[in-house]
Amino acid sequence: MYNLESIADDQATFRACVATKEPYKPLYVKIKLTWRCNLHCQMCNYWRQERHNALSPELLRTIVDELAELGCGKIHLSGGEPLLHEDLFELIEYMAAKGMRVNLTTNGTLLTREKAERLAASGVKSISVSIDSPEARIHDRIRAKGAWKRTIKGLRNLRRAIRKARTKTKIRLNTVISRTNYESLAALPDLGQEVGTNSLTLIPVDDPEGRLLLNKRRIRDYNERIAPVIASQGLEYGLLDSEREAYPFGIKKAEIEQSKKGWYALGLYDEQPCYAPWTHALITPSARVYACCMTRGMPKPLGNLLEAPFTDIWQGETYRAFRVRMHGPPLEICRHCDDFLDQNRYLHSLVADGSAIERAQQAS
């Protein structure tokens, strides 16, 4: 997500912002560069929605300038498929020159040797590549015929390009776990090791219609047969930091009950707020601003960059009202979110710790 230590070092300011519902800093901003995609993934509808892209190169540079002024440290570029964006490499170079860490998420199928070399030399810090199974036929069933072979080739092109450029760019495998692929995932760490990735992220599928969700039986089957292998091999290869990362549906009975409904926050936001609206923003290709990916489904955005600068939106009343809303009962969409869970637990500990210190000082 972002550098949590920097917030800990500035704990009093962060705590004051939470108390007043004012913004802290947009430390981590996600920009969806395009709706366009060259694949037809089961769990995504972007490829069905060819929409106007309002983020011109000029507007993007203006946004980046504002973000730099506001203290943004990391930008995540995604889509659609961001490698379809005509100015991608120049944009990454511009962001890197502003001192920002840039992460890119791609399906990897368009990573030719030339594009891989340009990307490796652009200043990008990490690249997340989507692989939904170590088995080609299952990955292709989810994404598109022939996609697995092209992605593996792209990954190898990328690894060679990073070595050639002598950069420290990290490669991460992103895997969306669904009913279609979960039984095939035990060999995923072996694939990650083979193609030279640095880490592995397991993402439970977000599917409002429920067709791709794992029911309780399948979650238990995954936890008993698949997750232990992923955990063991992932830790051995250095692709995971903890065993828990192999269990995105949770382990306890109550967690599994939540996950079978697609509530991957596992009850966290019944206990505390989400702090993303104080530190995070999402910008869509339509130039609309939201607090995060999950809230993109809300009826109204928090602002539109064709109508107001990012700074005005970030510091405006609509964004502030959304922060106020975070202190009430959780939004239905927040129950489905598996992003930033550990980070939010840590940030809540900072807020709670600060409140305890203040009460002690007042008592004395």
Side-chain angles (χ1 to χ4, degrees):
M1 187 179 185
Y2 34 65
N3 186 347
L4 292 173
E5 289 76 13
S6 68
I7 303 178
D9 291 341
D10 195 25
Q11 182 179 358
T13 303
F14 178 73
R15 190 171 65 252
C17 290
V18 171
T20 60
K21 315 306 184 288
E22 296 300 325
Y24 179 63
K25 299 175 185 177
L27 296 176
Y28 173 27
V29 175
K30 187 171 187 176
I31 302 177
K32 289 185 173 291
L33 291 175
T34 179
W35 299 116
R36 292 188 298 145
C37 189
N38 60 316
L39 298 184
H40 296 170
C41 302
Q42 285 181 347
M43 60 285 188
C44 177
N45 64 3
Y46 288 167
W47 59 272
R48 297 183 178 95
Q49 304 173 32
E50 187 66 29
R51 287 173 276 184
H52 173 64
N53 189 341
L55 296 177
S56 66
E58 295 76 22
L59 178 57
L60 282 166
R61 282 168 173 75
T62 298
I63 294 167
V64 171
D65 291 343
E66 286 188 80
L67 292 176
E69 287 292 325
L70 290 167
C72 179
K74 181 177 179 180
I75 293 182
H76 180 176
L77 300 177
S78 70
E81 173 48 56
L83 283 169
L84 291 171
H85 194 277
E86 295 80 2
D87 300 298
L88 174 65
F89 305 114
E90 293 81 3
L91 182 61
I92 295 174
E93 290 168 358
Y94 190 79
M95 293 172 174
K98 292 282 182 177
M100 297 177 180
R101 295 181 61 85
V102 182
N103 176 63
L104 175 79
T105 294
T106 173
N107 62 46
T109 60
L110 302 178
L111 282 169
T112 62
R113 182 170 297 185
E114 178 186 359
K115 287 185 178 179
E117 289 180 355
R118 290 196 66 186
L119 188 57
S122 68
V124 68
K125 292 296 183 182
S126 62
I127 301 163
S128 300
V129 180
S130 299
I131 287 279
D132 288 325
S133 177
E135 297 181 25
R137 64 179 181 83
I138 295 177
H139 178 86
D140 288 359
R141 179 182 171 189
I142 293 170
R143 292 188 172 258
K145 185 177 181 180
W148 191 89
K149 184 177 180 179
R150 298 198 304 273
T151 298
I152 296 300
K153 184 177 181 180
L155 274 165
R156 289 175 174 147
N157 286 338
L158 186 58
R159 175 51 61 198
R160 282 193 294 266
I162 290 171
R163 290 192 186 116
K164 181 178 178 181
R166 296 183 180 180
T167 71
K168 295 182 179 180
T169 304
K170 304 296 184 183
I171 302 175
R172 179 175 69 183
L173 285 192
N174 279 359
T175 300
V176 177
I177 306 179
S178 71
R179 185 177 298 192
T180 306
N181 68 348
Y182 85 92
E183 293 182 283
S184 73
L185 298 181
L188 194 62
D190 291 325
L191 176 65
Q193 175 78 348
E194 178 188 343
V195 296
T197 55
N198 302 98
S199 61
L200 171 63
T201 298
L202 300 168
I203 305 166
V205 68
D206 181 31
D207 178 25
E209 296 180 3
R211 295 179 298 106
L212 300 173
L213 296 181
L214 275 66
N215 58 21
K216 185 189 294 188
R217 180 186 65 79
R218 289 186 172 94
I219 292 173
R220 286 176 173 169
D221 184 37
Y222 170 82
N223 280 359
E224 291 170 6
R225 293 195 305 113
I226 311 300
V229 181
I230 294 176
S232 175
Q233 294 299 100
L235 289 169
E236 179 181 341
Y237 298 148
L239 301 177
L240 300 177
D241 291 325
S242 69
E243 183 178 356
R244 178 78 186 196
E245 292 175 64
Y247 295 84
F249 303 102
I251 299 172
K252 299 176 182 178
K253 181 178 179 180
E255 294 173 332
I256 294 173
E257 286 294 327
Q258 298 261 348
S259 285
K260 75 177 185 180
K261 295 182 284 189
W263 292 2
Y264 304 126
L266 306 180
L268 179 65
Y269 302 125
D270 291 303
E271 302 171 1
Q272 66 163 79
C274 172
Y275 295 99
W278 280 267
T279 57
H280 182 60
L282 166 73
I283 298 171
T284 74
S286 305
R288 294 176 178 177
V289 179
Y290 297 86
C292 63
C293 284
M294 297 303 292
T295 60
R296 192 180 64 81
M298 296 181 67
K300 292 184 179 180
L302 300 179
N304 190 317
L305 292 165
L306 300 180
E307 300 170 359
F310 179 87
T311 302
D312 290 356
I313 296 170
W314 177 250
Q315 297 174 348
E317 186 55 37
T318 303
Y319 224 122
R320 185 180 185 279
F322 191 76
R323 297 184 188 102
V324 172
R325 180 64 184 81
M326 289 294 100
H327 287 273
L331 298 169
E332 173 66 19
I333 50 177
C334 295
R335 297 182 189 275
H336 294 269
C337 183
D338 67 312
D339 281 340
F340 311 143
L341 299 183
D342 288 339
Q343 294 91 335
N344 271 316
R345 290 186 185 98
Y346 179 78
L347 293 178
H348 192 62
S349 73
L350 294 182
V351 173
D353 176 58
S355 299
I357 293 172
E358 287 178 351
R359 288 194 296 270
Q361 291 173 340
Q362 291 170 0
S364 62

